[in-house]
Amino acid sequence: MPWKQIPLQSRTREAGHGCGEIRRIKVCTVNNLLFPGARQAVQLKRRRVDRKTGKISIKTVYAVTSLTVERATGAQLAGLIRSHWKIEALHHVRDVTFSEDTSQLRTGAAPRAMATWRNLAIGALRLAGKTSIAADLRRNARDANRPFALLGLM
């Protein structure tokens, strides 16, 4: 794609977790890519600065979507991509902390029920201001009363 000639459609700036981040998105209408149904190609550049160390990292992500330009502008696509990564961040915690991807539960409502319990545990710990989910799960597992206290049930 001729990304250098494509104008910038959206730029956002955020700060958090000790970093500042700028996201820039370029979108191009496409009709004949190797992806059936692709209507837009996306280039998303993320520039992150660690405020403590000053280290700068730049990542470029490419994507395609079946959404036409009438259905999703560059700014809307940037928002959709950002929302998707929030969901992926939760899945990453569930997989790393609970080994969810290796779970043997496959039938009925069991997988959904366990995902709900895992989300409850993560959410309760985050609401309590905990940052290390794995460490706090281990801490709560050592005393049967701690999870109830965390949920305000004691």
Side-chain angles (χ1 to χ4, degrees):
M1 304 300 302
W3 292 113
K4 288 185 181 186
Q5 289 80 34
I6 296 171
L8 185 67
Q9 273 97 12
S10 175
R11 181 178 182 269
T12 59
R13 182 185 297 251
E14 281 186 21
H17 304 286
C19 294
E21 187 171 85
I22 297 172
R23 288 183 210 85
R24 296 179 176 124
I25 191 166
K26 293 182 176 186
V27 182
C28 176
T29 301
V30 295
N31 288 318
N32 56 356
L33 289 180
L34 295 175
F35 299 94
R39 295 296 169 253
Q40 293 188 82
V42 178
Q43 180 194 58
L44 178 69
K45 282 194 177 185
R46 294 188 298 243
R47 181 181 186 269
R48 178 177 263 189
V49 178
D50 186 309
R51 295 207 169 135
K52 289 182 183 176
T53 65
K55 181 182 174 192
I56 297 173
S57 65
I58 299 173
K59 291 186 179 177
T60 304
V61 176
Y62 296 96
V64 293
T65 180
S66 61
L67 297 171
T68 62
V69 70
E70 293 81 25
R71 292 190 58 209
T73 65
Q76 290 169 324
L77 287 172
L80 289 170
I81 292 168
R82 186 76 176 142
S83 296
H84 175 75
W85 282 111
K86 288 179 183 176
I87 293 166
E88 285 298 319
L90 174 62
H91 180 262
H92 176 76
V93 171
R94 285 190 353 209
D95 188 36
V96 170
T97 306
F98 294 103
S99 299
E100 189 174 65
D101 285 348
T102 61
S103 173
Q104 296 295 309
L105 295 174
R106 304 244 192 288
T107 59
R112 183 177 293 158
M114 287 307 298
T116 300
W117 286 113
R118 292 172 184 133
N119 287 342
L120 173 68
I122 293 166
L125 289 168
R126 285 193 175 148
L127 283 173
K130 308 299 182 183
T131 55
S132 176
I133 302 300
D136 285 299
L137 285 171
R138 287 189 298 272
R139 182 179 181 279
N140 279 293
R142 288 187 206 109
D143 181 349
N145 293 319
R146 281 188 190 137
F148 294 111
L150 183 71
L151 295 170
L153 299 174
M154 291 195 70

